[in-house]
Amino acid sequence: MSRGPDEKYPPIEPYDQGMLDVGDGNLVHWEVCGNPAGKPALVVHGGPGSGCTSRARQYFDPDLYRVVLFDQRNCGRSTPHASDPAADMRHNTTAHLIADMELLRERLGIGKWLLYGGSWGSTLILAYAEQYPERVSQIVIPAVTTTRRSEIDWLYRGAGQIFPEAFERFRAGVPEAEDPADLVAAYARRTESPDPGVRAKATADWCAWEDAVLSMEAHTGPAPYSGRPGRDRLAFVRICAHYFSHAAWLEEGQLIRDAGRLAGIPGVLVHGRFDLGGPLGTAWELAGAWPDAELTVIEDAGHLGGPATSRAVLAALDRFARRA
């Protein structure tokens, strides 16, 4: 299917979808769209806890790709939903999500698939691909993160050097955390509170900080985080705080250290020069450690990307569409 040089592909709807029983009472929502006989590709959403969106489908040529999307545990249309305080977060870790992806691949009868996703999605993609490199054909990542403790510390403390007013408000939201290094863990505890008022306040304070970090980036529509529907906002913050307070259950630097396992897998990394949420250094390090990765730096973009980011992603996916 053709498209203009600055256009995504037209909207498409799934031709198949369902709920995958992944155990421990969890059901993961999945959907498939495009060409049933096309090249398999998996969209891995960010957050963690953002849920998949219909917009992601439009990066893939529907005549050439069989596009799989899924909502990671406890968000989107997966159940139980993290906005419900009764949802047990003990069964939501990086290892669980990797196992869910592999179970979904088997359920759909896919041998290899291209992996696409950014921000937290890139962390999960890298963790999966380093564990199952034989299951991955190519990787396309806009906005690279590896969820190292140093990256978490930058986002929830270091960036306060640039936005001191907003950071002071963020820190005031958890006065029990005397050390700024304890902010994420303190917010995680508050999102588990039985008091709905405490959870709502922690969610609002967290999203206000996330929005502040992206406030220098151009975007349309509601605020990137505070503007989400209430139920989705509650789940997003609870899952984010849960993951980041545990450094995603990854050894520090693990994903870059083990990037040699990706040898033979072509990768395209696209990163904005002015990404304050996930600075360019991480993408640069990963590109240096991954033999088959190419890094494109977008000079006028940040974490949310923009037209040039979209063009680079579309070009990469179009290039890979006819490759095994």
Side-chain angles (χ1 to χ4, degrees):
M1 180 180 291
S2 62
R3 59 173 180 80
D6 292 313
E7 296 176 346
K8 300 182 183 71
Y9 288 96
I12 52 175
E13 294 299 321
Y15 65 80
D16 193 14
Q17 57 187 313
M19 299 292 282
L20 182 69
D21 188 340
V22 295
D24 301 314
N26 281 276
L27 297 175
V28 167
H29 179 271
W30 59 269
E31 62 185 41
V32 190
C33 53
N35 181 352
K39 176 186 178 72
L42 179 69
V43 175
V44 184
H45 69 68
S50 289
C52 65
T53 68
S54 60
R55 295 188 304 276
R57 306 170 191 158
Q58 293 183 254
Y59 283 98
F60 298 86
D61 186 332
D63 293 337
L64 299 178
Y65 275 105
R66 178 188 179 194
V67 187
V68 181
L69 302 93
F70 74 111
D71 291 315
Q72 294 161 29
R73 290 192 183 204
N74 306 124
C75 71
R77 289 154 290 183
S78 295
T79 61
H81 200 264
S83 61
D84 180 353
D88 189 347
M89 300 298 290
R90 292 177 301 168
H91 305 300
N92 192 338
T93 69
T94 302
H96 285 101
L97 298 186
I98 291 171
D100 295 349
M101 292 164 67
E102 187 62 1
L103 187 62
L104 180 58
R105 184 193 62 78
E106 294 173 352
R107 164 69 174 77
L108 297 176
I110 293 171
K112 278 189 173 186
W113 47 12
L114 176 149
L115 303 179
Y116 164 72
S119 194
W120 159 256
S122 67
T123 294
L124 185 53
I125 282 171
L126 294 168
Y128 174 91
E130 290 178 8
Q131 185 168 334
Y132 296 106
E134 71 281 3
R135 301 302 186 192
V136 181
S137 56
Q138 297 91 20
I139 295 173
V140 178
I141 295 174
V144 178
T145 71
T146 65
T147 316
R148 290 176 290 185
R149 288 164 181 80
S150 58
E151 294 170 53
I152 297 167
D153 183 67
W154 164 259
L155 179 55
Y156 297 107
R157 187 167 68 103
Q161 299 174 60
I162 303 172
F163 306 102
E165 308 94 332
F167 183 71
E168 186 172 306
R169 292 190 292 270
F170 180 57
R171 187 172 180 179
V174 283
E176 68 274 18
E178 297 181 4
D179 186 338
D182 296 331
L183 293 181
V184 172
Y187 271 99
R189 289 190 292 271
R190 287 190 170 229
T191 65
E192 298 293 335
S193 171
D195 185 335
V198 170
R199 295 196 305 275
K201 176 67 163 53
T203 296
D205 290 343
W206 181 287
C207 288
W209 169 247
E210 295 268 15
D211 286 339
V213 175
L214 301 186
S215 61
M216 297 173 67
E217 300 187 27
H219 68 275
T220 59
Y225 297 101
S226 300
R228 301 180 186 210
R231 178 174 179 267
D232 292 339
R233 190 167 61 246
L234 284 165
F236 165 77
V237 173
R238 186 181 180 197
I239 295 171
C240 274
H242 172 62
Y243 269 76
F244 296 156
S245 63
H246 291 92
W249 298 271
L250 297 169
E251 295 176 20
E252 183 69 355
Q254 171 184 332
L255 299 181
I256 293 176
R257 180 198 70 200
D258 295 342
R261 296 180 182 177
L262 305 176
I265 301 174
V268 172
L269 312 176
V270 183
H271 206 96
R273 175 79 67 186
F274 299 111
D275 187 340
L276 295 180
L280 176 59
T282 295
W284 184 265
E285 290 179 66
L286 178 62
W290 178 357
D292 298 278
E294 58 185 74
L295 171 62
T296 297
V297 179
I298 307 299
E299 296 294 341
D300 61 351
H303 196 72
L304 298 175
T309 303
S310 293
R311 285 194 296 271
V313 168
L314 286 161
L317 292 173
D318 284 350
R319 178 174 19 131
F320 290 144
R322 298 184 186 276
R323 293 178 58 175

